[in-house]
């Protein structure tokens, strides 16, 4: 655990909100400062908490089972508000199980924004009751932590968590920039806990004045803009990202954050503003729509119109039920599928809808409505693609009615794992024949479960048969056969995609299992040729011919001829280079 927000987003200590999905498969703030130790709770920590606890009264917080025992009383009557940045020390453990990392051990306080979903609900509710310098023991029931799902394999289902928390301080007037450039004072609390993010479309009302009281800019009816577009001044976007729906705040803005875009100024004031003026902005966040860049290049964007329910989202291979309408930029409807009564049903990542829309649908929750903007390139090869102008956009109105996710691998028995692996391999074969090498590669990769990947991404359980202690001898032979087949096919995909280093790595994995595999030697030699590792390529080709001089003889010998030609070209280049060096020395 570390002190900064960035660190909180990299680790897992048992405090973060429950998982939001299995692929965007999480809220943006699920990767917050959480790291579980794989050790039993030390007796010293357990004794410390029990000693602090003994004889103290316990009280319930709220109506959902959260319990609190005060160890040390606070020194004031005030408690933090939602949105305040609180600073605490803590340690804790899973009741009857493993310990959680302690901020006290590292002597670095833990900071988070209260009521913003950055920690589990039990923390948000419990810490909100604490006074300055108060220390208390909180027993957090599963429904306020990770619930029935738990967070496998670190936190088991229905786990009760126990924390010893000390309130160090909190900030109510927030320094948004850390240098006093933008100070925010909440005038009226907003609703809920969520706040807008970069790229979201917000509707605000504001009034900006100079220190002298002169009106600079005002929007009584409200104005919409995307966070990060630079509307009015940098402080406006910085401030609104910390606000909740309906919140009203006052921003005190220094010169460096108060640069005004002239087109947004109040009439008759553009030429009268002193160049070194500070600003005071009265700001109200009326509402916003979350905008998600589904692809990194922003060629697929999703804007939430109506928030969905819960945390879950469909993953690859899920059976989804949706209703959507697709429109061109002029409003012409070119596609319409499903209604509330008769939804359109399909399997995600099976090319049953265009890939851009498919990816956006996998970010949606049940009951969510959204508008999705997709670059027309995602319709390539479909009937309508030839009728669209270059660089045009497609607009979809989508409602997620329901979905059923593919069964997680840790819930599968051995037979189901092998069946799932075989399906992934066959899907990859179909995609390879269609020339869709990148997607075929993903299928082959996901047909193989690798235990070391489990801890890196415990929610992406899509690899099945790398190794399992429960396999019989026959099952281990079958698993090996599937591994060899998938690695070889994946290597072929990588060769087609120009990923030659990855292709040689996959072939090497095959040869570790089967040193006499001619296909692996042949494909690795192709990869070595592309990376100009001519000696390695020659060694693989000679070994393949020695193992089986008849099988694939023509193809291997052709590759050998290519190798010799490339060696001649390389020798000629070296001779010319040497000749040039000698002539220059003369």
């Amino acid at each position: 655990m570390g002190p900064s927000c960035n660190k909180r987003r990299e680790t897992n200590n048992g405090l973060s909100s429950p998982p939001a999905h299995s692929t965007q498969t999480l809220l943006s703030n699920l990767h917050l400062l959480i790291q579980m130790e794989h050790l039993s709770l030390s007796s010293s920590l357990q004794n410390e908490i029990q000693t602090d606890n003994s004889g103290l009264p316990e009280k319930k917080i709220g109506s959902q089972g959260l319990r609190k025992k005060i160890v040390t009383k606070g020194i004031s009557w005030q408690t933090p508000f939602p949105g305040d940045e609180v600073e605490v020390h803590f340690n804790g453990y899973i009741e009857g199980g493993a310990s959680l990392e302690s901020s006290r051990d590292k002597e670095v306080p833990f900071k988070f924004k209260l009521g913003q979903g950055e920690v589990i609900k039990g923390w948000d509710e419990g810490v909100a009751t604490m006074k300055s310098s108060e220390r208390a023991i909180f027993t957090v029931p599963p429904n306020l932590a990770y619930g029935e799902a738990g967070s496998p394999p670190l936190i088991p289902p229905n786990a009760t968590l126990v924390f010893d928390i000390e309130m160090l301080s909190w900030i109510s007037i927030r320094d948004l920039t850390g240098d006093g450039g933008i100070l925010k004072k909440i005038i009226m609390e907003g609703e809920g806990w969520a706040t807008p993010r970069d790229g979201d479309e917000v509707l605000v009302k504001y009034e900006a004045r100079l220190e002298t009281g002169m009106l600079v800019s005002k929007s009584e009816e409200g104005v919409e803009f995307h966070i990060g577009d630079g509307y009015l001044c940098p402080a406006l976007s910085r401030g609104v990202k910390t606000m909740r729906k309906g919140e009203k705040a006052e921003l005190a803005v220094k010169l460096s954050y108060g640069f005004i875009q002239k087109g947004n100024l109040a009439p008759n004031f553009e030429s009268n503003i002193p160049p070194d003026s500070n600003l005071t902005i009265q700001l109200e966040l009326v509402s916003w729509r979350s905008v998600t860049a589904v692809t990194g290049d922003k060629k697929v964007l999703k804007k939430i119109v109506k928030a969905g329910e819960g945390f879950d989202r469909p993953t690859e291979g899920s059976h989804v039920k949706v209703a959507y309408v697709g429109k061109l930029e002029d409003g012409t409807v070119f596609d319409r599928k499903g209604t509330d009564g008769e939804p359109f049903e399909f399997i995600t990542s099976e090319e049953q809808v265009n890939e851009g829309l498919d990816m956006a649908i996998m970010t949606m929750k049940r009951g969510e409505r959204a508008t999705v903007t997709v670059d027309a390139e995602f319709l390539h090869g479909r009937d309508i693609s030839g009728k669209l102008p270059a660089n045009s956009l497609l607009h979809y109105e989508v409602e997620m009615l329901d979905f059923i996710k593919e069964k997680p691998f840790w819930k599968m028995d051995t037979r189901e794992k092998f069946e799932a692996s075989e399906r992934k391999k066959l899907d990859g074969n179909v995609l390879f024949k269609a020339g869709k090498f990148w997607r075929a590669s993903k299928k082959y990769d996901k047909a193989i479960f690798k235990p070391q990947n489990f801890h890196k991404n415990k929610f992406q359980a899509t690899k099945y048969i790398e190794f399992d202690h429960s396999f019989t001898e026959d099952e281990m032979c079958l698993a090996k056969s599937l591994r060899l087949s998938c690695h070889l096919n994946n290597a072929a995909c990588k060769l087609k995609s120009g990923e030659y280093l990855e292709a040689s790595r996959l072939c090497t994995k095959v040869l570790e299992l089967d040193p006499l595999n001619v296909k692996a030697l042949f494909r690795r030699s192709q990869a070595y040729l592309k990376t100009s590792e001519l000696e390695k390529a020659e060694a693989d080709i000679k070994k393949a011919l020695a193992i089986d001089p008849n099988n694939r003889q023509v193809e291997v010998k052709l590759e050998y001829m290519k190798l010799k030609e490339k060696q001649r070209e390389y020798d000629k280049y070296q001779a010319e280079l040497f000749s040039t060096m000698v002539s220059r020395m003369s």
Side-chain angles (χ1 to χ4, degrees):
M1 163 142 354
S4 69
C5 186
N6 287 337
K7 182 68 176 175
R8 291 200 305 274
R9 295 177 188 275
E10 296 171 0
T11 56
N12 191 340
N13 63 3
L15 306 183
S16 73
S17 305
H21 60 57
S22 53
T23 131
Q24 187 191 31
T25 115
L26 304 170
L27 296 169
S28 63
N29 58 8
L30 277 180
H31 302 291
L32 305 168
L33 192 56
I34 299 182
Q35 184 178 23
M36 172 72 69
E37 298 178 1
H38 300 281
L39 299 171
S40 297
L41 176 65
S42 67
S43 59
S44 60
L45 172 61
Q46 210 167 30
N47 291 336
E48 177 188 343
I49 292 180
Q50 289 173 351
T51 300
D52 288 342
N53 244 352
S54 58
L56 292 173
E58 181 182 74
K59 63 178 181 179
K60 291 184 178 180
I61 305 297
S63 58
Q64 299 189 61
L66 178 64
R67 303 195 308 274
K68 172 184 177 182
K69 290 185 179 181
I70 296 176
V71 176
T72 304
K73 292 184 178 180
I75 59 175
S76 71
W77 57 269
Q78 293 177 313
T79 57
F81 288 94
D84 287 354
E85 183 177 88
V86 300
E87 187 177 56
V88 302
H89 266 315
F90 80 95
N91 51 28
Y93 62 99
I94 299 172
E95 193 173 63
S99 64
L100 306 180
E101 198 170 18
S102 168
S103 66
R104 294 187 178 96
D105 290 345
K106 294 188 176 181
E107 299 182 350
V108 178
F110 174 48
K111 297 179 181 180
F112 67 98
K113 287 198 297 182
L114 190 64
Q116 302 298 295
E118 294 187 355
V119 290
I120 56 176
K121 291 181 180 179
W123 265 58
D124 271 337
E125 292 187 13
V127 173
T129 69
M130 299 186 73
K131 302 177 177 66
S132 181
S133 298
E134 179 179 318
R135 183 171 177 178
I137 307 297
F138 290 92
T139 303
V140 184
N143 56 299
L144 296 179
Y146 283 85
E148 295 180 356
S151 183
L154 306 179
I155 298 177
N158 297 311
T160 296
L161 307 181
V162 181
F163 293 97
D164 175 355
I165 304 175
E166 179 183 6
M167 172 64 77
L168 301 179
S169 64
W170 68 84
I171 299 174
S172 293
I173 296 179
R174 298 183 57 194
D175 183 350
L176 302 186
T177 57
D179 60 2
I182 307 174
L183 297 177
K184 173 193 169 189
K185 179 168 65 178
I186 297 177
I187 307 300
M188 187 178 81
E189 296 289 343
E191 305 170 9
W193 55 266
T195 56
R197 297 177 293 176
D198 283 329
D200 286 354
E201 183 181 81
V202 296
L203 172 62
V204 303
K205 295 180 181 179
Y206 72 89
E207 180 180 288
R209 294 181 179 271
L210 302 181
E211 292 175 302
T212 61
M214 177 187 294
L215 178 66
V216 173
S217 185
K218 186 176 183 179
S219 176
E220 292 181 346
E221 300 300 320
V223 61
E224 287 186 339
F225 63 91
H226 287 89
I227 295 178
D229 284 353
Y231 181 82
L232 187 68
C233 67
L236 206 61
S237 286
R238 295 285 287 267
V240 80
K241 284 199 296 183
T242 70
M243 300 176 70
R244 296 171 291 144
K245 182 179 179 181
E247 181 178 322
K248 295 181 180 179
E250 179 180 284
L251 306 180
V253 185
K254 288 187 177 179
L255 169 66
S256 55
Y257 296 96
F259 173 76
I260 299 291
Q261 300 292 331
K262 287 190 175 182
N264 301 317
L265 296 182
N268 305 321
F269 284 102
E270 293 191 21
S271 60
N272 299 326
I273 298 177
D276 58 349
S277 294
N278 295 333
L279 290 173
T280 299
I281 302 176
Q282 303 295 328
L283 182 61
E284 178 185 357
L285 176 58
V286 179
S287 63
W288 84 89
R289 293 179 178 179
S290 294
V291 178
T292 303
V294 178
T295 57
D297 55 10
K298 298 186 177 181
K299 290 188 176 182
V300 181
L301 295 173
K302 185 192 77 169
K303 183 192 301 181
I304 296 176
V305 176
K306 175 180 173 290
E309 306 166 359
F311 298 99
D312 216 9
R313 295 176 173 87
T315 54
E316 183 176 313
S318 295
H319 182 111
V320 300
K321 298 179 181 181
V322 299
Y324 72 81
V325 177
K327 298 180 181 180
L328 304 180
E329 292 185 89
D330 63 4
T332 302
V333 174
F334 71 90
D335 194 11
R336 187 190 299 271
K337 295 282 179 65
T339 62
D340 284 348
E342 297 184 12
F344 172 59
E345 302 182 31
F346 71 97
I347 306 298
T348 54
S349 296
E350 296 292 342
E351 297 196 313
Q352 297 176 24
V353 298
N354 83 67
E355 187 178 6
L357 179 60
D358 201 356
M359 289 188 290
I361 285 173
M362 284 192 285
T363 70
M364 298 179 69
K365 302 174 184 176
R366 284 184 181 85
E368 181 178 323
R369 289 204 304 268
T371 58
V372 177
T373 303
V374 179
D375 192 287
E377 72 176 47
F378 286 98
L379 279 183
H380 179 69
R382 295 179 179 265
D383 292 341
I384 191 175
S385 60
K387 304 174 185 178
L388 297 174
N391 301 318
S392 59
L393 298 175
L394 309 172
H395 301 278
Y396 293 90
E397 299 168 3
V398 188
E399 182 175 6
M400 171 64 75
L401 300 173
D402 199 7
F403 60 86
I404 300 173
K405 294 168 67 171
E406 189 176 41
K407 188 175 183 178
F409 87 96
W410 60 79
K411 292 185 178 180
M412 294 182 181
D413 58 29
T414 299
R415 179 184 59 80
E416 290 173 321
K417 288 180 181 179
F418 279 103
E419 289 176 352
S421 180
E422 189 66 35
R423 283 197 305 272
K424 297 292 183 187
K425 189 187 83 168
L426 293 176
D427 290 344
N429 294 347
V430 172
L431 290 166
F432 184 88
K433 290 177 182 177
K436 298 174 181 179
F437 305 119
W438 180 77
R439 293 192 61 212
S441 176
K442 286 181 64 179
K443 293 288 186 181
Y444 293 133
D445 192 46
K446 290 176 181 179
I448 306 168
F449 167 58
K450 302 174 183 176
Q452 62 269 28
N453 289 345
F454 184 74
H455 298 293
K456 294 180 183 177
N457 192 348
K458 56 183 173 292
F459 298 109
Q460 187 182 350
T462 49
K463 303 185 176 188
Y464 301 96
I465 48 90
E466 181 70 20
F467 180 76
D468 192 315
H469 288 288
S470 66
F471 285 173
T472 65
E473 187 173 342
D474 288 343
E475 288 167 345
M476 291 182 72
C477 289
L478 178 56
K480 179 180 177 181
S481 175
L482 280 168
R483 289 200 299 275
L484 292 174
S485 177
C486 289
H487 285 326
L488 281 170
N489 292 353
N490 203 356
C493 292
K494 299 300 184 184
L495 287 170
K496 294 286 188 180
S497 303
E499 299 177 61
Y500 304 119
L501 291 176
E502 187 64 15
S504 64
R505 186 189 69 82
L506 288 164
C507 291
T508 299
K509 288 176 73 72
V510 172
L511 292 167
E512 289 171 354
L513 296 168
D514 181 8
L516 303 181
N517 192 293
V518 174
K519 283 186 179 180
L521 289 165
F522 174 64
R523 288 176 186 169
R524 190 169 70 173
S525 72
Q526 290 180 301
Y528 284 151
L529 274 175
K530 294 295 184 179
T531 57
S532 297
E533 296 178 85
L534 305 184
E535 291 182 1
K536 291 182 178 180
E538 182 175 16
D540 278 354
I541 291 175
K542 285 182 175 179
K543 187 173 182 179
L545 288 171
I547 294 169
D548 191 350
N550 297 316
N551 187 29
R552 299 173 59 85
Q553 183 178 15
V554 175
E555 190 173 6
V556 174
K557 286 186 174 180
L558 283 174
E559 203 65 28
Y560 189 62
M561 291 172 62
K562 289 180 186 178
L563 169 66
K564 288 301 182 183
E565 179 62 29
K566 197 158 188 176
Q567 286 176 328
R568 284 193 291 271
E569 291 175 1
Y570 182 74
D571 292 342
K572 182 179 179 182
Y573 167 75
Q574 291 285 0
E576 291 175 351
L577 181 63
F578 180 73
S579 176
T580 302
M581 290 173 61
V582 171
S583 63
R584 287 181 178 178
M585 291 172 65
S586 301

